[in-house]
Amino acid sequence: MAQYSDVVMDHFTNPRNVGEIEDADGVGEVGNPVCGDMMTFYIKVDEEGRLAEVKYKTFGCGAAIAVSSMVSEMAKGKTIEEALKITRDGVAEELGGLPANKMHCSNLGADALHKAIEDYLEKKGKE
Amino acid sequence: MRTAREVYLDNYAASPLLPEARDAMLPFLGESFGNPSSLHGRGDAAREAVEEARSRVAALIGAAPEEIIFTCNGTEANNLAVKGITAGSRRKGRHIMVSAVEHFSVLHAARSLEKQGYELELVPVDEYGRIDLGALRSLMRDDTILVSVMLANGEVGTIQPVAEAACIAAERGVPFHTDAAAAAAHLPIDVESLGVQALTLSSDLLYGPQGVGALWVRRGLRVIPLLDGGVQEGGRRGGTENVAGIVGMGVAAELARERMTERSAHLRGLRDALIAGLPARVDHVHLTGHPVERLPWNASFVVEFIEGEGMLLLLDQQGVAVSSGSACTSRALKGSHVLTAMGVPPERAQGSILFSFGPQNTLQDVDYVLEVFPPIVERLRQMSPLYAKFLKERG
Ligand code: FES
């Protein structure tokens, strides 16, 4: 479909890091208020506080799938602080832009990742 | 991207123009230019061509030629029917009724009347998308001035009990309009036995050119024009006619009549092969619309746990063109109003997919879809959190 950039089509066609992490350190699930879709992110954090593993599952449009793939790539290997700085606009930019009516899908990715990190921090705080 | 095979199954959106229609149109895009309103020879030729087309379109639905108003598409014809009939009867009342599964050109025209102070009632449908005749009867009022129910729904294929519905309206003397755009090439129509007062046709859905439509209005029913201008179309639609387009529509209407039986049988074969074959290969796929009372060309489904745009894009990469009613594929990012009215839950409606066949399709096309589609569904399901949840819950 012509409305998507080559980078979006590449990430949609060959999504990186798809899946779940059984013993995840943090899980974040968000629903898309606009069209009712859903994304779940799973993270594994190493001793240095870096995101060693980032996986996800996505129920949504082509852009939503590409966004989750891109977010997983951007977040992998980053520290918690760095990962929290990933924004919807940053994701859209890395993807070579998104059509205007698909910008809300890029929220999903960053939100789900941040939620997974919050979940991790909360669990850690309790320990 | 070139693929092994190109399979076009989005004929509800657009279909190849009949070569016979194109050939008949070409002179009017070249040497045979002329304005049907002109009094000289060129005008006469154009006018004769338009009138011949009018007779052909009228013959398709058993109507009189002078009752046909050419418009620039089905949307304009539907707007003219809904707004024009309502305006023509506004002294008699302010209550209008349309089915909940109408095309947007009926639904939104009715909504716009509602904003102007008319009262709108949506006639509910059952799980197959068929209108509730009991509700139609009980919701009709003394001040109802229009009922509009489509002959068949293009999105889910369901054929409506229009003759029965029109009969209910006739008992109370309420004008009845039916949008026959999606049905006219494949279901025999006779406006007399149908008992309706107005009927919409669209050229492209007869395999004619885009940009032409027609509204049939029974003699005696008042319709206020949408477009004021000259006295073209009996004063009911101003503006110089799209002569080439109208000629093309005329040929398409004639061929629809001649080829209907053979065409429908062919399409039904393809449709039924897909309707039988897909659920046999993929679990949790459901046919939408009525299983029997359905358009010969329509095979519409919802595929659980995944979303339509993803399916559409991956099918496109395999050379297969289809459409979807998922919220993500609609510009307004809203789920299909048709599936919603049928009570399909939103997450299921997200997996909507429509295969619309045309006369050019073959059984090989169906085989190809049955070969490439199941792995696409599997691939998207492996990515879906809903599917993961379902598998976990199932244990
Ligand atoms: S997830 Fe629905 S439009 Fe992107």
Side-chain angles (χ1 to χ4, degrees):
Chain A
M1 229 166 27
Q3 63 160 338
Y4 289 137
S5 73
D6 291 347
V7 187
V8 172
M9 283 313 289
D10 176 40
H11 276 267
F12 163 72
T13 313
N14 311 294
R16 341 287 199 240
N17 312 311
V18 184
E20 294 174 33
I21 303 176
E22 282 299 334
D23 54 344
D25 296 325
V27 181
E29 181 179 297
V30 294
N32 193 334
V34 179
C35 51
D37 293 320
M38 198 175 131
M39 203 180 278
T40 315
F41 262 82
Y42 302 83
I43 56 168
K44 198 98 182 120
V45 184
D46 65 17
E47 307 87 62
E48 289 158 42
R50 284 182 186 276
L51 300 181
E53 245 189 296
V54 181
K55 289 192 180 276
Y56 60 86
K57 290 234 161 159
T58 300
F59 169 63
C61 71
I65 290 171
V67 160
S68 39
S69 167
M70 180 55 88
V71 167
S72 73
E73 287 273 278
M74 287 168 76
K76 228 174 153 180
K78 289 231 163 78
T79 64
I80 296 290
E81 294 79 59
E82 287 165 346
L84 282 172
K85 283 192 195 118
I86 294 174
T87 62
R88 110 190 201 154
D89 291 336
V91 177
E93 202 181 300
E94 287 291 321
L95 283 169
L98 282 174
N101 68 339
K102 296 284 182 178
M103 282 305 289
H104 71 277
C105 315
S106 59
N107 269 345
L108 272 187
D111 288 356
L113 174 71
H114 295 166
K115 247 189 155 171
I117 293 175
E118 277 160 31
D119 181 47
Y120 159 72
L121 292 174
E122 206 171 292
K123 278 186 196 149
K124 210 176 87 172
K126 281 190 194 134
E127 265 169 24
Chain B
M1 188 163 58
R2 295 289 299 162
T3 48
R5 223 186 135 89
E6 298 261 328
V7 175
Y8 184 81
L9 295 175
D10 197 12
N11 290 275
Y12 182 45
S15 52
L17 176 62
L18 286 164
E20 292 87 345
R22 187 186 50 223
D23 291 347
M25 291 166 73
L26 281 175
F28 296 94
L29 298 167
E31 74 275 13
S32 299
F33 69 90
N35 186 325
S37 299
S38 301
L39 296 179
H40 45 62
R42 279 198 178 277
D44 292 342
R47 188 164 55 250
E48 273 160 30
V50 166
E51 292 317 312
E52 191 186 347
R54 198 184 304 281
S55 301
R56 288 173 161 168
V57 170
L60 178 66
I61 56 171
E66 61 277 14
E67 295 172 322
I68 299 288
I69 306 169
F70 283 115
T71 61
C72 78
N73 47 36
T75 288
E76 188 196 330
N78 278 338
N79 269 268
L80 179 57
V82 173
K83 295 175 182 166
I85 295 172
T86 302
S89 315
R90 69 175 174 276
R91 278 192 204 90
K92 295 187 194 130
R94 49 191 216 98
H95 184 239
I96 57 177
M97 301 175 73
V98 310
S99 92
V101 295
E102 291 302 302
H103 188 263
F104 281 144
S105 51
V106 166
L107 204 56
H108 291 172
R111 289 250 180 256
S112 116
L113 289 176
E114 193 182 23
K115 287 197 189 100
Q116 292 166 34
Y118 288 95
E119 278 180 64
L120 171 64
E121 200 97 57
L122 294 185
V123 184
V125 297
D126 64 14
E127 59 188 305
Y128 301 117
R130 299 255 291 179
I131 56 157
D132 180 341
L133 290 168
L136 174 70
R137 189 188 290 278
S138 62
L139 293 170
M140 206 173 298
R141 310 194 317 211
D142 290 338
D143 64 341
T144 305
I145 50 175
L146 174 72
V147 177
S148 181
V149 176
M150 64 201 337
L151 201 51
N153 181 287
E155 199 180 314
V156 297
T158 300
I159 298 170
Q160 298 291 353
V162 165
E164 291 87 333
C167 189
I168 293 173
E171 284 168 17
R172 304 183 68 144
V174 179
F176 192 103
H177 163 253
T178 188
D179 171 6
H186 307 98
L187 306 180
I189 297 174
D190 174 56
V191 289
E192 287 314 319
S193 52
L194 215 47
V196 298
Q197 277 72 47
L199 180 143
T200 291
L201 295 171
S202 182
S203 160
D204 55 351
L205 289 165
L206 299 170
Y207 311 112
Q210 296 168 333
V212 200
L215 180 67
W216 165 79
V217 182
R218 187 181 291 278
R219 194 178 298 122
L221 179 63
R222 215 165 148 231
V223 180
I224 308 295
L226 294 179
L227 296 181
D228 293 313
V231 294
Q232 291 90 354
E233 302 302 302
R236 290 173 298 182
R237 203 272 182 188
T240 297
E241 299 85 344
N242 169 7
V243 177
I246 289 171
V247 166
M249 181 176 185
V251 172
E254 183 156 292
L255 293 179
R257 207 155 56 100
E258 274 172 21
R259 298 179 183 171
M260 191 171 292
T261 315
E262 164 208 343
R263 224 183 228 165
S264 294
H266 171 66
L267 291 169
R268 216 171 273 128
L270 304 178
R271 176 197 75 182
D272 292 344
L274 188 59
I275 289 178
L278 195 54
R281 283 170 183 78
V282 183
D283 286 341
H284 307 288
V285 171
H286 314 274
L287 182 73
T288 53
H290 201 280
V292 183
E293 294 295 323
R294 75 185 290 131
L295 290 169
W297 53 261
N298 178 299
S300 59
F301 303 90
V302 286
V303 184
E304 281 191 81
F305 316 118
I306 58 178
E307 183 279 328
E309 191 192 88
M311 293 188 258
L312 202 149
L313 290 170
L314 290 175
L315 278 169
D316 187 43
Q317 291 180 1
Q318 300 297 324
V320 181
V322 297
S323 66
S324 163
S326 96
C328 303
T329 56
S330 89
R331 259 182 223 167
L333 296 170
K334 273 201 183 142
S336 150
H337 70 286
V338 175
L339 296 176
T340 306
M342 287 161 57
V344 177
E347 70 277 8
R348 244 192 216 201
Q350 278 295 72
S352 132
I353 186 158
L354 168 59
F355 301 89
S356 51
F357 292 97
Q360 78 282 6
N361 291 122
T362 62
L363 271 176
Q364 282 78 43
D365 293 342
V366 177
D367 290 341
Y368 183 66
V369 168
L370 290 175
E371 178 193 323
V372 300
F373 191 47
I376 288 175
V377 172
E378 186 52 30
R379 192 167 148 186
L380 290 169
R381 279 184 178 164
Q382 288 311 323
M383 260 184 250
S384 165
L386 296 184
Y387 191 55
K389 258 187 200 156
F390 164 77
L391 291 180
K392 248 171 233 152
E393 272 158 28
R394 197 181 59 178

